[in-house]
Amino acid sequence: MHSLFICLIFSSLINSCLCAQVLQITDFHFDKDYDQYGDITNFCHKSANDPPREDIGKFGNYHCDSPEALVKNAVQNAKNNIPNPDFILWTGDNVPHIEGYNEDYVINALNFSTSLLNSTFPTTQIIPTFGNHDYAPANAFPDNYSNIYTRTYDLWKDWIGSDAKDTFLKGGYYKFSFKNATFLVLNTNIYFRFNTANLTNPDDPADQFKFMADTLEDAKNKNQIIHVIAHIAPGVYERSPNFTWMFPEHNQKFVDITLKYASVIKWMIFAHHHSDTFHVLKNGSDPVQLMLMCPAVTTWYSDLSGGSSNNPAFRIIEYDDQTWDYTDIKTYYVNLLDLNKNPSINWTLEYSFKNDYNLTQINAQTMNDLLQRMKVDDNLFYQYMMYNSVGWSTQIPEGDLRLGQLCSIEYPDYPGYNKCMTNGTTVDF
Ligand SMILES: *[C@@H]1O[C@H](CO)[C@@H](O)[C@H](O)[C@H]1NC(C)=O
Ligand SMILES: *[C@@H]1O[C@H](CO)[C@@H](O)[C@H](O)[C@H]1NC(C)=O
Ligand SMILES: *[C@@H]1O[C@H](CO)[C@@H](O)[C@H](O)[C@H]1NC(C)=O
Ligand SMILES: *[C@@H]1O[C@H](CO)[C@@H](O)[C@H](O)[C@H]1NC(C)=O
Ligand SMILES: *[C@@H]1O[C@H](CO)[C@@H](O)[C@H](O)[C@H]1NC(C)=O
Ligand SMILES: *[C@@H]1O[C@H](CO)[C@@H](O)[C@H](O)[C@H]1NC(C)=O
Ligand SMILES: *[C@@H]1O[C@H](CO)[C@@H](O)[C@H](O)[C@H]1NC(C)=O
Ligand SMILES: *[C@@H]1O[C@H](CO)[C@@H](O)[C@H](O)[C@H]1NC(C)=O
Ligand SMILES: *[C@@H]1O[C@H](CO)[C@@H](O)[C@H](O)[C@H]1NC(C)=O
Ligand SMILES: *[C@@H]1O[C@H](CO)[C@@H](O)[C@H](O)[C@H]1NC(C)=O
Ligand SMILES: [Zn+2]
Ligand SMILES: [Zn+2]
């Protein structure tokens, strides 16, 4: 009895919370036409009359999107590292960066990922969302019903339930209750400034902002916890100075609502960058909200700002079952070149927020402290930059590229970001 009691005390000291684990996996950009002997200047596709080419990689190539082998390897390695997650956040972009595909192509790509996740994690709750590529044509998400919303709802209804139906059919977004939290799963692709759909209500497409604010107001009154999950985050692409995602007025609205309800929103989890970064949202100088961007499975090369890629990654988020506080965030990865050389290697832990950033708590305050140290500590900034591309690049950005990283983290609102970029002097070079 006595020794059991001591044992319990010890185990509670070692594992000081009732930790639960969540998998986040994102941006597969599965390209069914990837070819191991394909043309890296043409999406790694192979055409009928192409000359013979050298092996560019069974599991992918940094210039291209994911072959089936990479997506399956990613999901299998996720399963090996976290066999029974509490739930899975799957945050969009399943269609490759090609052009000229139709609605069926999108549904097939979505169905491929849906079936793979469902068969690999048959008993796990999965919380899915659209990415900006999950439409035909890409970036054309409407705000008043569409076939793709309806057909995707049919694919996902066993996960997201019939309560999600009305908003999902109208605008591809929904709320979802899990344990004692509510997930606000938003289709921020509608706010993407490259979105070409003719919106019926440009001020509040699909009434999504109203839904967001109403849900948060309700949660505030009932003292409930809300997590916001979406593909595209507000703010600026950290790897390309001044390159914004959302229309300015939508970005501002999103930030305003987030600020107003900062005390109600617990997690804010996004994807789309393909890189590993975060934003801290402040009320004046007071950090009140943390937004996390998870790196991608695809290694697709972006030619913005001189070009960048990343190694394939997924993330395990650990949290306290009682409070929903993060207890650790762990990124797993594989070096694509190594995987192509040795198909049996395992994905491994790249880093842990807790152990590698030395954080006992992970929230807006502690991540803002980290940011402030990053500005003056070159080693720490270098460490962040290594994680930013999941070890793809060892270069340390300078000048505007460095400032772009730091201002993106600190200012998810455009006016703040622009001031930060002009100011420049906030960064002690
Ligand atoms: C989705 O894929 C599964 C497994 O390949 C298949 O059985 C099913 O018919 C597909 N559904 C749709 C809607 O394409
Ligand atoms: C939105 O779609 C509904 C259902 O298809 C239709 O009745 C309505 O006219 C549409 N609204 C606008 C503004 O296009
Ligand atoms: C997952 O697979 C089960 C068993 O085959 C099936 O009943 C269910 O509809 C699938 N769910 C999704 C979201 O595909
Ligand atoms: C939006 O409207 C314009 C003008 O009517 C039209 O040319 C364009 O094709 C529409 N875009 C979409 C995605 O339907
Ligand atoms: C921002 O801070 C001010 C001053 O402390 C406070 O009065 C206000 O309520 C805060 N706003 C939000 C949205 O938290
Ligand atoms: C959520 O549930 C946990 C475990 O049942 C409980 O300890 C905690 O107080 C709840 N939190 C809220 C905000 O309801
Ligand atoms: C890779 O992971 C599998 C499953 O977890 C394990 O059985 C195997 O030993 C690992 N291989 C290496 C080389 O670590
Ligand atoms: C974490 O602590 C270790 C050991 O004290 C130190 O070497 C390392 O630089 C610290 N890292 C950060 C990001 O503070
Ligand atoms: C601009 O620089 C000054 C002086 O370093 C600093 O106090 C201020 O916070 C900076 N403003 C922004 C928006 O970064
Ligand atoms: C970004 O914007 C700032 C402020 O307007 C400007 O000084 C800078 O030259 C811009 N950088 C790039 C790469 O466009
Ligand atoms: Zn993507
Ligand atoms: Zn995207």
Side-chain angles (χ1 to χ4, degrees):
M1 195 63 196
H2 189 70
S3 64
L4 176 66
F5 185 62
I6 288 178
C7 176
L8 283 174
I9 289 176
F10 268 96
S11 61
S12 73
L13 283 177
I14 293 161
N15 193 4
S16 61
C17 63
L18 294 174
C19 278
Q21 290 189 318
V22 175
L23 171 67
Q24 185 182 6
I25 193 159
T26 196
D27 291 83
F28 292 155
H29 291 280
F30 160 55
D31 190 344
K32 69 180 180 58
D33 295 313
Y34 178 95
D35 193 296
Q36 190 174 351
Y37 300 93
D39 177 0
I40 61 165
T41 68
N42 183 34
F43 307 102
C44 298
H45 292 181
K46 190 171 175 350
S47 312
N49 296 323
D50 278 6
R53 292 201 186 81
E54 61 189 53
D55 183 353
I56 55 168
K58 179 176 191 295
F59 290 90
N61 184 284
Y62 288 116
H63 286 90
C64 298
D65 278 321
S66 308
E68 182 169 338
L70 179 61
V71 179
K72 287 188 162 164
N73 191 264
V75 172
Q76 188 53 54
N77 272 273
K79 177 80 178 176
N80 293 347
N81 280 288
I82 178 171
N84 289 302
D86 226 24
F87 58 97
I88 295 175
L89 298 171
W90 166 38
T91 37
D93 270 358
N94 298 280
V95 173
H97 293 78
I98 59 169
E99 276 167 24
Y101 50 84
N102 61 16
E103 192 182 302
D104 286 341
Y105 186 101
V106 171
I107 297 302
N108 287 336
L110 285 169
N111 187 36
F112 169 79
S113 311
T114 301
S115 301
L116 180 63
L117 289 168
N118 194 33
S119 59
T120 312
F121 295 94
T123 58
T124 303
Q125 174 62 51
I126 298 184
I127 302 178
T129 180
F130 279 119
N132 55 300
H133 285 268
D134 301 326
Y135 211 83
N139 311 317
F141 284 87
D143 63 344
N144 190 44
Y145 302 93
S146 80
N147 273 347
I148 289 186
Y149 294 158
T150 306
R151 294 177 70 184
T152 306
Y153 179 75
D154 283 340
L155 289 177
W156 292 349
K157 62 180 182 234
D158 283 355
W159 287 334
I160 68 179
S162 54
D163 286 355
K165 188 171 182 182
D166 289 351
T167 54
F168 199 91
L169 294 193
K170 183 176 176 191
Y173 65 93
Y174 62 102
K175 65 178 175 185
F176 182 80
S177 296
F178 185 81
K179 294 187 175 172
N180 57 358
T182 298
F183 288 81
L184 201 42
V185 186
L186 302 175
N187 181 9
T188 50
N189 309 299
I190 302 185
Y191 309 136
F192 196 27
R193 65 191 171 90
F194 299 107
N195 198 48
T196 57
N198 296 312
L199 300 173
T200 60
N201 180 8
D203 288 340
D204 185 7
D207 303 322
Q208 187 172 227
F209 284 129
K210 182 176 188 307
F211 183 79
M212 184 181 179
D214 287 352
T215 306
L216 287 163
E217 181 66 32
D218 190 45
K220 189 178 179 179
N221 295 332
K222 294 180 181 152
N223 216 1
Q224 286 169 340
I225 285 172
I226 302 271
H227 303 306
V228 173
I229 313 297
H231 183 68
I232 301 182
V236 185
Y237 184 32
E238 83 285 0
R239 300 211 269 190
S240 187
N242 306 339
F243 192 88
T244 58
W245 304 128
M246 295 185 189
F247 289 109
E249 57 280 17
H250 292 153
N251 197 82
Q252 194 59 48
K253 263 190 190 151
F254 197 100
V255 165
D256 288 346
I257 295 173
T258 305
L259 197 55
K260 181 170 177 195
Y261 293 103
S263 63
V264 185
I265 303 172
K266 199 78 190 182
W267 301 357
M268 295 192 84
I269 297 203
F270 303 91
H272 180 66
H273 291 225
H274 294 188
S275 47
D276 179 348
T277 189
F278 59 97
H279 298 313
V280 172
L281 180 64
K282 297 185 190 182
N283 176 19
S285 60
D286 186 18
V288 294
Q289 194 54 249
L290 171 65
M291 308 180 189
L292 296 170
M293 270 62 75
C294 176
V297 168
T298 189
T299 62
W300 170 261
Y301 185 85
S302 158
D303 54 16
L304 288 170
S305 288
S308 53
S309 185
N310 56 277
N311 279 305
F314 60 78
R315 199 163 245 186
I316 296 176
I317 298 165
E318 297 180 353
Y319 68 98
D320 181 324
D321 232 355
Q322 312 286 304
T323 61
W324 290 91
D325 288 335
Y326 296 125
T327 53
D328 201 359
I329 294 163
K330 294 172 173 167
T331 306
Y332 286 76
Y333 85 115
V334 69
N335 179 296
L336 184 62
L337 299 177
D338 293 346
L339 181 62
N340 280 330
K341 275 185 226 138
N342 177 5
S344 64
I345 63 170
N346 288 330
W347 295 41
T348 53
L349 179 68
E350 181 201 19
Y351 79 107
S352 130
F353 275 44
K354 190 172 152 194
N355 297 326
D356 295 294
Y357 281 146
N358 297 344
L359 300 175
T360 47
Q361 296 184 321
I362 301 159
N363 55 40
Q365 286 80 20
T366 61
M367 291 304 282
N368 182 56
D369 291 346
L370 188 78
L371 165 68
Q372 300 311 324
R373 280 204 288 136
M374 223 186 260
K375 290 179 182 174
V376 293
D377 179 341
D378 287 343
N379 290 331
L380 181 58
F381 182 65
Y382 178 72
Q383 189 184 345
Y384 158 79
M385 282 308 308
M386 289 293 293
Y387 302 151
N388 185 235
S389 70
V390 195
W392 175 81
S393 169
T394 53
Q395 276 182 348
I396 310 175
E398 289 171 7
D400 256 16
L401 287 174
R402 175 189 167 101
L403 201 54
Q405 285 279 351
L406 296 168
C407 294
S408 163
I409 295 176
E410 191 152 19
Y411 297 100
D413 66 305
Y414 297 166
Y417 175 89
N418 290 337
K419 231 183 279 170
C420 176
M421 287 302 284
T422 314
N423 201 346
T425 52
T426 42
V427 183
D428 188 349
F429 287 107

